[in-house]
Amino acid sequence: MSEPSKPQGRKFQLPEHLKEYKGIWVIVEQERGSVHSVSWELVGEARKLADKLGVEVGAVVLGADSPELNAICGDAFTYGADVVYKVTNPVLADYRTDPYTRVMTDVVNTYKPEIVLLGATTLGRDLAGAIATTLATGLTADCTELDIYMDNRSLAATRPTFGGTLLCTIQTLAYRPQMATVRPRVMSMPDRDDSRSGRVVEVFPNLRETDVITKVLSFIADREQNEAQLAFADIIVAAGKGLGKPENLKLVFDLAKVLGGEVGVTRPLVQAGWTGFDRQVGQTGKTVRPKLYIAAGISGAIQHRVGMEKSDLILAINTDPNAPIFDFAHLGLVGDALTILPALTDAFGKRLSVNRLAG
């Protein structure tokens, strides 16, 4: 990536007392011993940024002390962390905004990282906003790209704006830490290196259950676990307005079934009631990173592009040879998706059947 553009307008000088803030942290999102993959994606990204700055990568792991928590600390090193801040207290067993915010505010003020990153998940968005408020610092949400502006060590955080029609890069020039949230699958998953190790800093916050207003009464498994899991699909066949009418969406489902993939759609199709929000790809939907993304009847507006442009291979099908999607697709077919989709389904079906017989 090229050097981020130089900040324009007023110039801010970082106050002396903030120059001692060093290092890049990732707050690891874990619930009941299960880590959200976005945390490891961010540790990998933090590794790249930290190498530019010449600083350490810190992973913050919060929860009740347990073997599972210890295993998470070990995993943080394998994905690129240099130091793990293991923050344990029985009150932290389940996520609640108040105790997590109080603890993270104290830990940040004590160890002074210059950048703090979180996943743009339901939990991460809640916690990031609360921490940024108590620390009186800036927060850039739902970023699609991160870099460092070396002149003043500021984080260049890029995100969609104006309804996804533009991308803007935001820098927090006179405050520390700099904070950002990043959607799952925007950054690539780093390779594990089981030979890596580091140091663990144990933190035992003074928390009492009686001081926390909210209480955990029970745990209910995610009701959306049976919905489309676009963020983790290797193959996605996506539909846009070019399909014309809801009945034609069956052509997309047929191809996805043959390929063993998921079905995605653009925002207008969700708004028109063709399918549920769980299948929407784009700035206001899911961010995906499949090995193959087939875009049928999709123009390629920026709102959709930011949700799928990092796919390994993008095949675009559109009747308009000047459609924006052809500017960034790897392969393009100019033609009617209503004719091409059934042909692809038939061709892939025959080819895969031959391979299965040969195997």
Side-chain angles (χ1 to χ4, degrees), residues 49-72:
L49 301 178
D51 288 344
K52 284 189 174 184
L53 290 171
V55 298
E56 290 185 325
V57 173
V60 185
V61 181
L62 303 95
D65 199 8
S66 66
E68 291 78 13
L69 208 70
N70 291 331
I72 292 171

Side-chain angles (χ1 to χ4, degrees), residues 14 21 62 89 148 154 176 186 210 241 248 287 307:
L14 191 65
Y21 282 65
L62 303 95
N89 185 291
I148 299 295
S154 66
R176 294 293 183 270
V186 168
T210 54
K241 290 189 297 183
N248 294 331
T287 299

Side-chain angles (χ1 to χ4, degrees), residues 41 77 96 106 124 196 262 270-271 295 349:
E41 294 164 11
F77 294 126
R96 285 172 287 178
D106 290 341
R196 294 190 84 262
E262 283 278 12
V270 174
Q271 292 174 331

Side-chain angles (χ1 to χ4, degrees), residues 32-51:
R32 297 174 181 257
S34 178
V35 176
H36 198 298
S37 60
V38 70
S39 297
W40 302 142
E41 294 164 11
L42 287 177
V43 170
E45 188 66 16
R47 179 75 274 156
K48 300 173 188 176
L49 301 178
D51 288 344

Side-chain angles (χ1 to χ4, degrees), residues 239-250 252-253 263-279 296-297 338:
K241 290 189 297 183
L243 263 69
K245 55 185 179 179
E247 292 79 7
N248 294 331
L249 201 58
K250 181 180 182 298
V252 177
F253 275 93
V263 171
V265 298
T266 59
R267 181 172 63 180
L269 270 60
V270 174
Q271 292 174 331
W274 288 28
T275 188
F277 174 75
D278 60 308
R279 295 194 182 278
L338 303 184

